[in-house]
């Protein structure tokens, strides 16, 4: 029985067991401590090695920085060269217009445009068709003046010229509308002779590429004839009984252009100079200006002294043929120096102007009143519909082979509806709102239902009050609404409906030719840029191709941007857009440098959107880049390199688009560089770099202008 009992554990055994466990624990802790210290030492050694490696790379980058920046400066000489070519082109166009002698005035010359306006004012009794034909020239003159204001850099525009050009634009706009009013009056005088056989009323539609006139004259005054529809259209009116029995005419003048909205202010050079920090600093610009001026004076004095000395010693050195060569070389040297200084000044001025394009306004220009349309947030599309109720003028009457007509001295008169005083009428329903049916122009894209706005002539702005029961049939492009009082009406859309962008890509097609793709919530827009021209390559709406009148039409950048905005395809932020769109703010100077260098490399490298750009700091930009030689077959899954650029340093990132978290860690076996050009040069082929150096200055400048206008790095 005693053998079956468990051995009793003594106190000594318990103490021994506890001691063994304690020793084991201490041993494990010691091993853990040693392991931790070893790992920590290894980690610190790796960290030290990495820091030393980074320090060496930074030192190497700093050592060659001046060399890289000098090479970049030589490459970026294309920007002042392109500006010089544009100046020469503007001068050449003026000369070409002068030698053409085609009878049309040069709108930039005040005497010519004033003479044109005066002579046209003297012309009387023009029919609507004649005014429409003349309007083509007038609209062309207005467009030329607007392009001069937009294309000419502010430093080449004087304030007096801005006032002159804008004054001429307003005069031409007012005169054109006046001529249409007079022509409408002439047409309405013949209403009785043009009356419809069925209704007894006059209905007339005159179509043109820029203007369409719809006019209806109430000759029968039938109280039951209250629904008006113009033939072969859905356009018309539902008028109240009081108008159906009145001596009136209804006119809808649809102009594809907008001469109602006030002109945008044009900043002068002095305003720009004080409102923004220039690319290289004001002091440096002033010093270069002074240097150019001083150099010109010294050159003039040297040339004068040389000419005098050469004249005095002419007879003494006839037999020495070398004097002439020496004199010309002395003259050539200051000429070359002067040109170099001028190009340097132009380079810095162009850079300052580019930086200005990215300047965000610190406050809104104005705060709209209630129901007033904020033109910084919304844009008018599809032109203007001038709706008027007119008093029917006296009609032509035949007398013995003659047509006799009473001409009113005051001209075409508007019928006031509702009248200012309505005391004689019993109910308020006597003057109900007038229902209007209008067609949205086929060349304009509305991504959301269009809003209707009316022009307030007193306040000089668009308003949304006085308009009710708005409905829109998108398939028929028909909009119906009720209007309290007639006047100019337009359709408006949020100017930032396509901002921010979802993604973008810039891909070379050939040397001096690229394709820029911008994808938004509603659309995908492809823009082809070749040499100094731009073209709309394609549009997709809801992943379906959409045809546009702008496709296959090459235009200059400014004209192209205007055309896209007027078509409803606005992907061009303004200085006030950041008040209405959540943006990924980047320092303007970093953006400018990135766009300039992307444009330089675009003939052989593709660039693309990166999701990490929104994560990094505002003083850095992140995007994808890869070599893409034109003519090569498209790659299904191209191998992109992720670059980060701060304006002063470029580096390849270790992460890629599918990484879980953002890190600024440097990619293995890569180095820091001061420019994007030298960064991509590390992994680029010789053929690619050769194509980059073959890019024309006009192409690089045009692409840079488009990148600055779309602001891909901060609005996507």
């Amino acid at each position: 029985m005693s053998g079956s009992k468990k051995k009793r554990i003594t106190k000594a055994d318990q103490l021994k067991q506890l001691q063994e466990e304690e020793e084991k624990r201490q041993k494990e802790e010691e091993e853990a401590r040693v392991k931790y210290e070893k790992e920590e030492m290894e980690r610190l050694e790796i960290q030290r090695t990495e820091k030393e490696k980074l320090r060496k790379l930074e030192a190497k980058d700093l050592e060659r920085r001046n060399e890289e920046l000098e090479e970049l400066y030589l490459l970026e000489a294309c920007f002042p060269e392109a500006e010089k070519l544009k100046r020469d082109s503007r001068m050449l166009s003026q000369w070409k217009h002068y030698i053409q002698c085609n009878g049309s005035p040069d709108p930039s010359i005040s005497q010519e445009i004033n003479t044109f306006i005066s002579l046209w004012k003297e012309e009387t009794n023009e029919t609507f068709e004649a005014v429409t034909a003349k309007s083509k020239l007038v609209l062309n003159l207005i467009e030329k003046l607007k392009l001069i204001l937009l294309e000419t850099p502010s430093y080449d525009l004087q304030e007096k010229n801005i006032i002159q050009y804008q004054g001429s634009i307003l005069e031409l706009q007012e005169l054109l509308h006046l001529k249409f009013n007079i022509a409408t009056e002439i047409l309405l005088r013949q209403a009785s002779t043009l009356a419809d056989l069925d209704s007894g009323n006059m209905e007339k539609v005159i179509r043109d590429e820029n203007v369409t006139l719809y006019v209806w004259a109430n000759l029968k005054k039938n109280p039951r004839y209250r629904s008006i529809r113009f033939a072969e259209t859905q356009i018309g009116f539902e008028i109240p009984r009081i108008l159906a029995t009145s001596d009136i005419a209804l006119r809808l003048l649809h102009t594809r252009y907008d001469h109602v909205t006030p002109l945008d202010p044009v900043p002068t050079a002095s305003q720009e100079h004080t409102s923004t920090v220039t690319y290289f600093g004001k002091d440096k610009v002033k010093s270069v200006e002074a240097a150019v001026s001083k150099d010109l004076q010294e050159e003039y004095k040297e040339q004068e002294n040389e000419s005098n000395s050469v004249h005095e010693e002419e007879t003494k050195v006839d037999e020495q043929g070398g004097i002439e060569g020496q004199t010309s070389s002395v003259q050539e040297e200051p000429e070359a120096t002067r040109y170099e200084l001028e190009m340097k000044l132009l380079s810095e001025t162009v850079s300052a102007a580019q930086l200005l394009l990215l300047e965000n306004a610190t406050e809104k220009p104005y705060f709209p009143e209630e129901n007033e349309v904020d033109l910084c947030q919304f844009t008018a599309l599809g032109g203007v519909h001038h709706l008027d109720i007119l008093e029917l003028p006296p009609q032509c009457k035949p007398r013995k082979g003659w047509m006799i007509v009473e001409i009113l001295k005051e001209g075409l008169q508007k019928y006031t509806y509702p009248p200012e005083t309505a005391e004689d009428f019993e109910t308020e329903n006597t003057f109900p709102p007038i229902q209007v049916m209008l067609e949205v122009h086929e060349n304009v894209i509305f991504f959301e239902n269009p809003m209707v706005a009316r022009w307030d002539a007193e306040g000089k702005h668009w308003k949304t009050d006085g308009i009710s029961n708005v409905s829109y049939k998108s398939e028929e492009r028909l909009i119906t609404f009720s209007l309290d009082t007639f006047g100019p009406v337009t359709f408006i859309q949020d100017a930032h409906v396509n901002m921010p962008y979802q993604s973008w890509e810039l891909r070379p097609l050939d040397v001096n030719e690229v394709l820029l793709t911008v994808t938004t919530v509603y659309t995908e827009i492809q823009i082809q840029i070749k040499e100094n021209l731009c073209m709309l390559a394609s549009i997709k709406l809801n992943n379906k191709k959409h045809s546009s009148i702008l496709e296959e039409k090459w235009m200059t950048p400014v004209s192209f941007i205007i055309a896209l905005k007027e078509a409803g395809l606005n992907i061009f932020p303004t200085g006030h857009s950041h008040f209405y769109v959540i943006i990924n703010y980047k320092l303007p100077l970093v953006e400018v440098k990135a766009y300039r260098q992307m444009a330089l490399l675009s003939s052989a490298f593709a660039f693309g959107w990166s999701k990490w750009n929104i994560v990094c700091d505002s003083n850095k930009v992140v995007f994808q880049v890869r070599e893409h030689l034109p003519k090569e077959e498209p790659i299904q899954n191209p191998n992109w390199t992720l670059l980060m650029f701060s304006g002063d340093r470029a580096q390849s990132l270790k992460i890629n688009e599918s990484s879980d978290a953002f890190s600024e860690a440097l990619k293995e076996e890569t180095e820091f560089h001061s420019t994007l050009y030298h960064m991509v040069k590390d992994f680029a082929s010789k053929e690619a770099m050769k194509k980059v150096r073959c890019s024309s200055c006009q192409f690089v400048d045009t692409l840079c202008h488009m990148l600055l206008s779309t602001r891909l790095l901060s609005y996507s």
Side-chain angles (χ1 to χ4, degrees), residues 319-547:
E319 68 281 1
Q320 299 176 8
I323 294 294
E324 186 179 347
Q326 291 173 12
T327 305
S328 63
S329 66
V330 171
Q331 290 177 345
E332 284 172 8
E333 188 175 348
E335 180 68 26
T337 306
R338 184 175 71 87
Y339 176 78
E340 186 179 334
L341 285 168
E342 283 181 337
M343 292 305 287
K344 189 175 183 181
L345 175 61
L346 187 58
S347 174
E348 295 177 359
T349 311
V350 168
S351 300
Q354 289 175 340
L355 187 62
L356 186 78
L357 289 174
L358 304 186
E359 185 181 18
N360 288 333
T362 54
E363 59 182 22
K364 293 183 180 182
Y366 69 100
F367 291 92
E369 299 173 1
E370 188 180 1
N371 298 318
E372 181 185 346
V373 176
D374 184 353
L375 291 176
C376 291
Q377 182 179 4
F378 297 94
T379 184
L381 295 175
V384 177
H385 296 80
H386 297 265
L387 300 169
D388 295 297
I389 306 174
L390 305 170
E391 292 182 2
L392 199 60
Q395 297 298 294
C396 296
K397 296 176 182 177
R399 288 288 188 275
K400 299 180 181 180
W402 292 81
M403 294 296 291
I404 300 174
V405 62
E406 179 187 354
I407 299 175
L408 301 176
K409 187 178 180 181
E410 56 271 17
L412 194 65
Q413 294 295 301
K414 290 186 178 181
Y415 181 92
T416 306
Y417 179 90
E420 294 177 1
T421 56
E423 295 175 358
D424 299 336
F425 301 95
E426 296 178 359
T427 64
E428 295 179 0
N429 295 327
T430 308
F431 304 102
I434 301 170
Q435 190 180 58
V436 183
M437 287 75 74
L438 298 177
E439 292 176 354
V440 176
H441 198 269
E442 59 184 355
N443 295 332
V444 178
I445 299 174
F446 280 92
F447 298 98
E448 298 172 343
N449 286 351
M451 294 179 282
V452 185
R454 64 173 185 85
W455 180 248
D456 180 3
E458 187 177 345
K460 302 292 182 188
H461 48 237
W462 293 104
K463 298 192 76 173
T464 54
D465 61 344
I467 301 165
S468 56
N469 304 322
V470 181
S471 66
Y472 179 59
K473 297 178 182 177
S474 56
E475 291 183 4
E476 300 173 35
R477 300 183 70 85
L478 180 69
I479 189 164
T480 305
F481 56 94
S482 297
L483 201 59
D484 290 349
T485 57
F486 267 28
V489 165
T490 192
F491 306 137
I492 59 174
Q493 178 173 251
D494 187 348
H496 309 96
V497 69
N498 284 309
M499 300 176 206
Y501 324 127
Q502 290 188 318
S503 65
W504 59 270
E505 182 179 302
L506 181 67
R507 178 166 55 88
L509 300 175
D510 204 343
V511 178
N512 301 327
E513 187 175 1
V514 296
L515 185 71
L516 174 62
T517 304
V518 180
T519 306
T520 74
V521 173
Y522 294 101
T523 181
E524 180 189 273
I525 302 171
Q526 290 193 324
I527 300 169
Q528 195 169 336
I529 301 162
K530 185 176 182 180
E531 296 294 342
N532 62 333
L533 298 174
C534 305
M535 180 188 77
L536 182 63
S538 74
I539 312 172
K540 284 183 181 177
L541 298 178
N542 300 320
N543 296 319
K544 294 180 181 178
K545 194 175 186 315
H546 178 83
S547 60

Side-chain angles (χ1 to χ4, degrees), residues 455-658:
W455 180 248
D456 180 3
E458 187 177 345
K460 302 292 182 188
H461 48 237
W462 293 104
K463 298 192 76 173
T464 54
D465 61 344
I467 301 165
S468 56
N469 304 322
V470 181
S471 66
Y472 179 59
K473 297 178 182 177
S474 56
E475 291 183 4
E476 300 173 35
R477 300 183 70 85
L478 180 69
I479 189 164
T480 305
F481 56 94
S482 297
L483 201 59
D484 290 349
T485 57
F486 267 28
V489 165
T490 192
F491 306 137
I492 59 174
Q493 178 173 251
D494 187 348
H496 309 96
V497 69
N498 284 309
M499 300 176 206
Y501 324 127
Q502 290 188 318
S503 65
W504 59 270
E505 182 179 302
L506 181 67
R507 178 166 55 88
L509 300 175
D510 204 343
V511 178
N512 301 327
E513 187 175 1
V514 296
L515 185 71
L516 174 62
T517 304
V518 180
T519 306
T520 74
V521 173
Y522 294 101
T523 181
E524 180 189 273
I525 302 171
Q526 290 193 324
I527 300 169
Q528 195 169 336
I529 301 162
K530 185 176 182 180
E531 296 294 342
N532 62 333
L533 298 174
C534 305
M535 180 188 77
L536 182 63
S538 74
I539 312 172
K540 284 183 181 177
L541 298 178
N542 300 320
N543 296 319
K544 294 180 181 178
K545 194 175 186 315
H546 178 83
S547 60
S548 170
I549 194 173
L550 298 177
E551 290 181 62
E552 307 302 322
K553 287 186 178 180
W554 290 99
M555 290 177 264
T556 60
V558 172
S559 299
F560 178 74
I561 290 170
I562 293 170
L564 244 60
K565 283 183 175 181
E566 289 178 348
L569 300 170
N570 185 18
I571 52 170
F572 307 101
T574 67
H576 300 97
S577 294
H578 63 285
F579 291 119
Y580 310 101
V581 183
I582 298 173
I583 70 168
N584 180 22
Y585 176 76
K586 300 295 177 183
L587 291 180
L589 189 57
V590 175
E591 269 196 276
V592 169
K593 288 184 177 181
Y595 295 143
R596 283 165 69 99
Q597 293 178 47
M598 285 165 64
L600 281 169
L601 295 164
S602 60
S603 284
F605 293 89
F607 296 88
W609 169 85
S610 170
K611 68 180 182 180
W612 302 119
N613 185 46
I614 199 169
V615 180
C616 67
D617 297 335
S618 61
N619 59 349
K620 297 182 179 97
V621 293
V622 177
F623 49 84
Q624 299 182 86
V625 63
R626 68 182 178 92
E627 184 178 313
H628 183 98
L629 295 177
K631 312 298 183 189
E632 73 177 18
E633 292 296 322
I635 303 171
Q636 288 292 335
N637 297 305
N639 186 22
W640 292 92
T641 299
L642 207 58
L643 291 189
M644 185 170 73
F645 184 55
S646 66
D648 297 321
R649 174 174 291 172
Q651 69 180 82
S652 293
L653 295 179
K654 193 174 183 178
I655 59 170
N656 56 39
E657 281 299 291
S658 57

